[in-house]
């Protein structure tokens, strides 16, 4: 039984990271009906920002929650700015074009960021610095590190903050209006461009938050680190119902738990296959996702 609880803890820890990245996919899809494939690379840029800002602040090897908080905030701000820049330069000029054009552009932006990072920082992996001391606690035979606890609490706080932002604020109301019908929202006085730009900023900031939490537990940074994580987070968004904020959170947690239990009970070589098996199953059985609604489209 202790093994089961250990996998449960590890799965929840991983699932919250998937959920934070998946929220970026689902927010952009909600307002633009665009799958932003560059989102995974914003996650990567967030990790590099965390790496360099931690070195700039100093204190390598010393436990400091203030330093960790500063790194988190800097990384989220930089990634939020990057998300807004990508939206302004790459996607906004194509907003009136067919969706396929924007989709191809997203893939191009993704390649640009990956290869740009490779050129700037070399393809060699770097070690993400330790931001604070980690201690291990035991509940029976189940080990839980303080990094896992803090990462889980920070991720839950971010998701709760997003839930409040989307469903309890004027910006959230504007975002939901734009996602429903942009032209009508504009006629009602909603600043559509600004709303979409802030949506990109929020999604990118969450990706950077996920990158820091990921770096705390898996201290390795490289230009292509977002590739597989981004694909899995996309699967999590589809599983929960892409465009549905609570659904993406649940999808991320379900995917993290599924991966951890499959790997933990002797099928570790199939760990990466779990996400794609879930994607195929959900597309066949319920393409709108667990919490999504089927929508008829004119063709």
């Amino acid at each position: 039984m202790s093994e089961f609880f250990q996998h449960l803890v590890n799965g929840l820890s991983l699932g919250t990271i998937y959920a934070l990245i998946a929220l970026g996919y689902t927010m952009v899809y909600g307002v633009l009906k665009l799958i932003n494939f560059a989102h995974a690379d914003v996650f990567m840029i967030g990790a590099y920002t965390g790496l360099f800002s931690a070195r700039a602040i100093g204190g390598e090897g010393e436990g400091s929650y203030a330093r960790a908080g500063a790194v988190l905030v800097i990384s989220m701000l930089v990634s939020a700015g990057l998300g807004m820049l990508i939206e302004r330069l790459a996607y906004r000029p194509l907003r009136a074009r067919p969706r396929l054009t924007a989709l191809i552009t997203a893939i191009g932006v993704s390649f640009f960021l990956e290869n740009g990072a490779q050129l700037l920082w070399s393809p060699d992996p770097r070690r993400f610095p330790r931001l604070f001391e980690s201690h291990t606690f035991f509940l029976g035979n189940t080990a839980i590190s303080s990094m896992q606890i803090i990462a889980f609490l920070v991720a839950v706080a971010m998701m709760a903050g997003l839930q409040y932002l989307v469903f309890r604020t004027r910006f959230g109301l504007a975002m939901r209006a734009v996602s429903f019908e942009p032209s009508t929202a504009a006629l009602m006085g909603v600043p559509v461009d600004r709303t979409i730009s802030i949506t990109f900023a929020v999604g990118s900031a969450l990706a950077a938050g996920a990158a820091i939490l990921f770096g705390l537990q898996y201290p390795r940074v490289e230009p292509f680190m977002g590739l597989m994580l981004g694909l899995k987070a996309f699967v999590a968004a589809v599983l929960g119902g892409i465009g549905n904020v609570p659904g993406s959170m649940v999808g991320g947690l379900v995917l993290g738990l599924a991966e951890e239990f499959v790997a933990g009970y002797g099928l570790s070589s199939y760990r990466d296959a779990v996400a794609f098996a879930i994607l195929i199953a959900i597309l066949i059985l319920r393409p709108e996702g667990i919490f999504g609604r089927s929508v008829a489209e004119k063709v």
Side-chain angles (χ1 to χ4, degrees), residues 16-17 19-21 23-24 27 43 68-69 71-77 150-166 201-214 216 245 249:
T16 51
I17 292 170
L20 285 176
I21 306 173
L23 286 170
M27 289 175 70
F43 167 87
V71 168
L72 180 66
V73 171
I74 292 170
S75 182
M76 291 178 74
L77 288 175
I150 290 172
F152 182 78
L153 292 177
V154 171
V156 169
M158 286 183 184
M159 287 188 274
L162 178 66
Q163 187 78 355
Y164 179 83
L165 181 71
V166 172
V202 173
S204 301
L206 290 175
I212 301 302
L213 301 181
F214 183 81
L216 289 174
V245 171
M249 298 180 196

Side-chain angles (χ1 to χ4, degrees), residues 54-293:
R55 289 181 178 174
I57 293 171
E60 177 80 18
E62 296 177 5
S64 169
Y65 294 114
R67 177 171 175 248
V71 168
L72 180 66
V73 171
I74 292 170
S75 182
M76 291 178 74
L77 288 175
V78 170
S79 293
L82 176 63
M84 294 175 77
L85 190 67
I86 291 172
E87 188 277 330
R88 182 67 184 86
L89 298 180
Y91 300 144
R92 191 179 299 183
L94 303 174
R95 204 173 290 165
R97 301 288 181 86
R99 289 180 192 169
L100 184 60
T101 307
L103 188 68
I104 293 170
T105 303
I107 295 172
V109 173
S110 173
F111 285 151
F112 175 78
L113 292 175
E114 287 173 2
N115 289 284
Q118 199 172 9
L119 185 66
L120 283 173
W121 303 312
S122 89
D124 298 330
R126 302 187 188 206
R127 179 184 167 276
F128 193 84
R130 187 173 55 181
L131 299 178
F132 54 85
E133 291 290 338
S134 181
H135 306 282
T136 303
F137 305 97
F138 288 91
L139 294 175
N141 292 324
T142 304
I144 307 175
S145 71
S146 56
M147 278 192 185
Q148 283 180 315
I149 296 172
I150 290 172
F152 182 78
L153 292 177
V154 171
V156 169
M158 286 183 184
M159 287 188 274
L162 178 66
Q163 187 78 355
Y164 179 83
L165 181 71
V166 172
F167 295 103
R168 293 285 187 273
T169 65
R170 289 177 63 84
F171 166 73
L173 185 63
M175 194 177 80
R176 285 181 283 139
V178 171
S179 69
F180 186 74
E181 181 54 64
S183 55
T184 305
L187 290 173
M188 298 297 290
V190 175
V192 174
D193 286 343
R194 190 170 67 195
T195 302
I196 292 174
S197 187
I198 296 175
T199 300
F200 269 81
V202 173
S204 301
L206 290 175
I212 301 302
L213 301 181
F214 183 81
L216 289 174
Q217 300 176 68
Y218 310 93
R220 176 188 170 100
V221 181
E222 58 174 321
F224 296 97
M225 65 182 291
L227 193 60
M228 185 57 76
L229 276 169
L231 284 174
K232 290 180 179 178
F234 174 68
V235 172
V238 173
L239 174 61
I242 192 161
N244 186 302
V245 171
S248 293
M249 298 180 196
V250 174
L253 294 175
V254 169
L255 182 60
L257 288 169
E259 266 195 20
E260 181 60 31
F261 278 110
V262 166
Y265 284 105
L267 296 172
S268 57
S269 56
Y270 293 96
R271 184 182 193 119
D272 290 336
V274 171
F276 303 107
I278 289 175
L279 178 62
I280 293 169
I282 200 73
L283 289 177
I284 293 173
L285 301 174
R286 190 175 169 80
E288 66 272 23
I290 297 172
F291 294 95
R293 293 180 300 174

